[in-house]
Amino acid sequence: MAEVKTRRRGGGGAARRAERTAVKIECAKYIERNIPNLDILDEAALQIIEANAETVLEEIGVAFVENPAALERWKAAGADVSGERVRIPRGLARKLCATAPGSFVQHARNPDRSVEIGGRNLVLAPVYGPPFVRDIAGGRRYATIEDFRNFVKLGYMSKWLHHSGGTVCEPTDIAVNKRHLDMLHAHMTLSDKPFMGSVTEPSRARDSVDMCEILFGGLDGRTVMTSLININSPLTFDATMMGALEVYAAANQACIISPFIVGGAMAPVSVAGTLTQVLAEVLAGVAYSQLVKPGAPVIMGAFVTSIDMNSGAPTFGTPEAAQITYGAGQLARRLGLPYRSAGSFNGSKLPDAQAAYETSNSLNTGLLSGVNFMLHACGWLEGGLVASFEKFVLDADQLGVLHRMAEGVKVDEEAQAMDALREVGPGGHYLGCEHTQRHFKDAFWRSDVLDYKPYETWEEEGARDSATLAQARVEKLLAEYRAPEMDPAVREALDAFVAERKAAEADSFM
């Protein structure tokens, strides 16, 4: 009997040690705001902007280039079509937008990772689109598929990210006409969070839908992708993006209809003028998605930056961009649409103080403006040309602050802490009181990257700056990465699909 008991004690201790040292891959639920949105436009201003947007659609119109089918849809809906110019009668676009849902669920292959986009929710996704990557060891360089896969792994390992994203960086070592297959395969196999589809050509959107059919065992009307459809501002809808939208809308997959605004270059320099153009473009884009399929899920987007009038370079984290982001949020809520905007925007070349200031401004604006889907939430550098590994983990860490801020302030009996106030009284301290003991583990948000050690300890450990600490964090996360479980038959089917599609056509780097 004694021998049995000894073995049980040893086994229990080993189990506890294993539990303490085991890699835990945590993922916080998408943010549910308990704080108010910041509305900066009054009713009169909103009505002026909405009326002006209708005037733009009716008098100036929008261009649907190289897309005869779109022109036919608009003509049948009652628009005035002249060449490629579509003039939309006042009220028609808004009426068509009414069938778009106010919120929707994007399903992940792990149901626990599914997200609801819309309402009071905020879903965070990583940087999208940079052709370059940067890290301390390798500097600035063209991105590869290995870089892409490592970003997907980091996104999967990052607690505060809810979404795997899309083109986290452009893997330039893979042919342009085939890289979407490798990117989708990485999202599907290296993570079990939701992801985005390809939009660079309609056939690639079709590939995205087909691969999701394999991954999910049939879609059955479920929305499993959210994809970015940029408008070629000002007021131009190109055939490539609209072709991808047509594929996704028909398959009930969500699209972000997002004007790409550089104030002073692609929109007026004034906040009100830019908001007018943004709203006109969104109304036309969302309405078109509903012409393809009424009820197709869609998100109102607003990617906004200003311009340095001396150099022509885009600028980020500016007050004007924030004002447009706040105002667009109000317009989205009046339309009853989910809203996409903001991110870890900055123009810095390095993850330095400029990057931190501009990123912080943009992230906080996104939280307070009511954004529902935040693309570029981590990793953005150099105006979106670079995806930075160190900045990815620094930003992903700081997204925890958004989670805590969105919780609001609790005032229940436990939060009032009257027992602590009575226990400590005048002149005491709260470190040892019972209330503190109950809550010290989760009372305050804690960074997993930043250094709060005493100066002497910091110096002994190498006097590391934030980028160096982030480099160590990247290495740690990648070393601890474990792929989520996956049905071997599904994996084999995905591998076969990718191989077959790649073999079907020659490589193209154009």
Side-chain angles (χ1 to χ4, degrees), residues 494-506:
L494 286 172
D495 293 348
F497 180 92
V498 170
E500 182 179 347
R501 285 290 293 112
K502 283 188 168 185
E505 54 186 285

Side-chain angles (χ1 to χ4, degrees), residues 62-68 70-71 74 84 199-202 228-246 257-260 266 281 284-285 288:
V62 296
F64 276 75
V65 298
E66 299 179 354
N67 194 339
L71 299 175
W74 276 116
E84 294 184 328
V199 296
T200 52
E201 212 278 333
L228 179 61
I229 305 296
N230 280 132
I231 296 166
N232 191 6
S233 302
L235 303 171
T236 302
F237 296 75
D238 67 74
T240 298
M241 285 287 174
M242 290 302 101
L245 178 148
E246 290 159 7
I257 309 298
S258 192
F260 193 94
M266 299 156 76
E281 292 177 346
Y288 184 63

Side-chain angles (χ1 to χ4, degrees), residues 110-307:
N110 177 352
D112 292 338
R113 303 284 192 260
S114 296
V115 296
E116 183 177 353
I117 300 174
R120 302 287 299 163
N121 303 330
L122 171 56
V123 174
L124 301 170
V127 63
Y128 184 106
F132 300 101
V133 298
R134 174 183 282 278
D135 59 25
I136 289 177
R140 186 183 191 269
R141 62 189 186 278
Y142 279 105
T144 66
I145 191 62
E146 181 182 3
D147 293 316
F148 184 92
R149 289 170 180 150
N150 281 335
F151 275 121
V152 173
K153 292 175 182 179
L154 289 175
Y156 174 63
M157 297 290 284
S158 297
K159 177 179 179 179
W160 307 115
L161 271 178
H162 317 116
H163 204 280
S164 193
T167 307
V168 191
C169 62
E170 281 279 356
T172 58
D173 56 336
I174 306 293
V176 171
N177 60 329
K178 299 179 180 180
R179 64 180 59 155
H180 67 289
L181 298 165
D182 292 283
M183 290 189 284
L184 282 163
H185 188 272
H187 283 303
M188 291 177 173
T189 60
L190 301 178
S191 175
D192 61 4
K193 294 181 179 181
F195 55 86
M196 303 175 74
S198 176
V199 296
T200 52
E201 212 278 333
S203 67
R204 297 167 198 165
R206 184 70 255 168
D207 285 339
S208 303
V209 173
D210 290 345
M211 289 180 72
C212 284
E213 292 274 4
I214 296 170
L215 181 67
F216 289 90
L219 297 182
D220 301 319
R222 292 174 295 173
T223 299
V224 301
M225 282 182 289
T226 297
S227 300
L228 179 61
I229 305 296
N230 280 132
I231 296 166
N232 191 6
S233 302
L235 303 171
T236 302
F237 296 75
D238 67 74
T240 298
M241 285 287 174
M242 290 302 101
L245 178 148
E246 290 159 7
V247 171
Y248 286 128
N252 205 49
Q253 302 307 301
C255 290
I256 305 166
I257 309 298
S258 192
F260 193 94
I261 299 296
V262 179
M266 299 156 76
V269 296
S270 66
V271 170
T274 296
L275 283 171
T276 295
Q277 181 179 309
V278 166
L279 181 57
E281 292 177 346
V282 166
L283 283 169
V286 173
Y288 184 63
S289 76
Q290 302 306 294
L291 286 177
V292 174
K293 182 179 179 179
V298 66
I299 300 170
M300 171 176 168
F303 175 88
V304 180
T305 177
S306 50
I307 194 170

Side-chain angles (χ1 to χ4, degrees), residues 308-363:
D308 183 335
M309 289 298 183
N310 292 319
S311 68
T315 56
F316 299 90
T318 61
E320 295 80 15
Q323 289 172 332
I324 294 166
T325 304
Y326 287 127
Q330 290 181 255
L331 294 168
R333 288 189 288 279
R334 286 163 73 91
L335 276 173
L337 293 174
Y339 177 41
R340 171 258 163 156
S341 195
S344 61
F345 297 149
N346 68 96
S348 182
K349 315 304 180 288
L350 296 169
D352 57 9
Q354 178 186 344
Y357 281 129
E358 294 175 350
T359 292
S360 180
N361 288 344
S362 183
L363 290 178

Side-chain angles (χ1 to χ4, degrees), residues 16-35:
R16 287 191 293 273
R17 286 192 297 274
E19 183 179 357
R20 286 195 299 270
T21 58
V23 176
K24 296 179 180 178
I25 301 173
E26 296 182 272
C27 182
K29 185 182 178 183
Y30 53 84
I31 292 174
E32 297 172 287
R33 289 182 181 85
N34 290 312
I35 57 175

